[in-house]
Amino acid sequence: MNIPEEHIDLFEAYLRNTLSEKEVLEFDARLVYDSEFAKSFSDYQQIEKGINQHFRNKLKQNFQKIDEELDSKRSLSKVKPVRQKNKLVIMFSIAAAAVLILFVLNLSSSNPYEYLVAQNWPQEEGLPVKMSTKGKYDDAMNAYKLKEWDKAEELLSELDSDTANYFLGVVNYHQQEFENALDYFEKVAESSVFIKESDFRLALILLIEEPKKGKKKLLEISKSNSAFSEQAKMILKKL
Amino acid sequence: MELKQNDIIHQIKKGDEKPLFDLYKLHRDEFVAWCAQQFGATKEQAQDAFQDALLDFNDNIIKGKLVELTSSVKTYVFKIGKFKIINILKKEKRLTYHDNLQMIKGEEFEDFMDDENNAYTQEQISNAITQLPEDCQEVLQLHYFKEYDMDSIAREMNYKNADTAKSKKSICMKKLLVELNKLKMVLIF
């Protein structure tokens, strides 16, 4: 198969709508009576599609590189505290306070359960916000949906309810304020519609903060009739 | 790494790919976890779906199908991602091979037949593109993937004007056809 060179500009012009009305009519007619021309045009379109696909694939490869980066960073961070601590001890023995802070920071970023929790953290879309009526959670939910965590927290803090406490827990988790998140989830009453979600999220955060308690809580959930019991079992198997 | 969604569309429209990578880094793990929870998808399947979702998001902006968002970027991309993961899972279930005939059933059979009717395979087209000079590859990318007009290509590539860009693009396309024909010749001999 060959696409005659002189056809390329014509195909281009047709596909980019730059031909006159008369030229378009002639082109369409030729597609009908000239099968070779029609085949060339079809091949040309396939090549254009292929070029697009080639660059799409190239862009996709960049995402795959990010996967490698993210995954290798994660595995490196698991061994980071030991290495970093050794370096710090050797090189900066005078900066005891700074070393302590760095050590604590490294420990927290390398918590082995953080990734597992992130993978199992249920997505929370937030409460629906209606255009027609104004609800008391609307402003907070708009901020929540935009991931404006500080604003969402400020607005939710003004509301005293189990729903507000539940979302404050979620917001604090996203801000990595795990202790605060625990406090809020603990405040959610047994009678709340959010109690099951709240308990499960509480168990996940406990896994980061106090693994033993987290495992115990997950075990309780796995034996209960919670919608998260299967997921809790799955996580326990991985621990 | 918090992204302002109003700027994202504008940046992508300008040809900047960084917001796509930032979005990927920001939401990948949550999407993977959500797919595992909702569909029992593996990490690889979910990552594949999320990458395709962001590529479609990019396409929609470039083609002008998406100019303004009524929801958050995350919600929009997750919605596309949901269809992608469903399709991936459906496709993998449907792809069954007969023990003796190695027949492919389902949509893949039609795709396979389509490929057979095409003058070139995707692999041949990709190989031919990589044989082109760097500037030609760039021009083709700007025109066919990023859908830049000739003025924008001229600006981006420091060409004199749109006419120069147009003629350069035409030359590159012809070079590509030459490369493709070379590949065909190799197959024949």
Side-chain angles (χ1 to χ4, degrees), chain A residues 29-44:
Chain A
R30 194 166 172 191
L31 284 179
V32 176
Y33 69 76
D34 186 345
S35 61
E36 218 166 286
F37 181 78
K39 175 77 174 94
S40 290
F41 182 58
S42 148
D43 291 341
Y44 187 80

Side-chain angles (χ1 to χ4, degrees), chain A residues 108-123:
Chain A
S108 64
S109 70
S110 66
N111 189 303
Y113 298 122
E114 261 187 56
Y115 181 58
L116 184 68
V117 170
Q119 277 198 309
N120 286 281
W121 186 258
Q123 197 194 357

Side-chain angles (χ1 to χ4, degrees), chain A residues 56-142:
Chain A
R56 189 180 158 105
N57 292 346
K58 259 184 100 175
L59 187 54
K60 193 166 177 172
Q61 281 166 11
N62 288 329
F63 289 124
Q64 287 153 0
K65 278 182 199 155
I66 294 175
D67 283 334
E68 283 167 22
E69 273 170 36
L70 290 176
D71 295 341
S72 70
K73 261 187 203 168
R74 206 158 274 149
S75 57
L76 272 178
S77 76
K78 282 183 184 169
V79 291
K80 204 172 167 186
V82 179
R83 274 206 230 147
Q84 198 128 339
K85 190 185 167 191
N86 286 342
K87 275 186 193 169
L88 289 171
V89 168
I90 297 160
M91 293 171 68
F92 307 107
S93 54
I94 44 164
V99 169
L100 189 66
I101 292 164
L102 274 174
F103 184 62
V104 169
L105 283 174
N106 279 327
L107 264 186
S108 64
S109 70
S110 66
N111 189 303
Y113 298 122
E114 261 187 56
Y115 181 58
L116 184 68
V117 170
Q119 277 198 309
N120 286 281
W121 186 258
Q123 197 194 357
E124 176 52 79
E125 290 278 4
L127 300 172
V129 177
K130 288 181 183 170
M131 299 290 282
S132 51
T133 51
K134 177 88 177 155
K136 70 172 179 173
Y137 293 104
D138 286 1
D139 292 339
M141 282 304 117
N142 282 330

Side-chain angles (χ1 to χ4, degrees), chain B residues 90-141:
Chain B
K90 264 190 197 169
K91 214 171 181 179
E92 290 189 6
K93 265 187 193 169
R94 215 187 302 137
L95 191 71
T96 52
Y97 295 88
H98 192 282
D99 285 347
N100 301 319
L101 294 171
Q102 291 275 300
M103 270 294 279
I104 307 163
K105 293 176 181 172
E107 255 176 37
E108 290 70 27
F109 182 70
E110 283 149 34
D111 292 346
F112 174 76
M113 290 307 286
D114 279 349
D115 285 347
E116 285 292 284
N117 292 329
N118 285 338
Y120 305 104
T121 63
Q122 182 58 46
E123 198 187 347
Q124 285 172 328
I125 295 172
S126 289
N127 285 341
I129 293 171
T130 53
Q131 297 304 312
L132 297 178
E134 280 291 320
D135 60 339
C136 265
Q137 293 190 34
E138 223 170 308
V139 168
L140 293 181
Q141 181 183 22

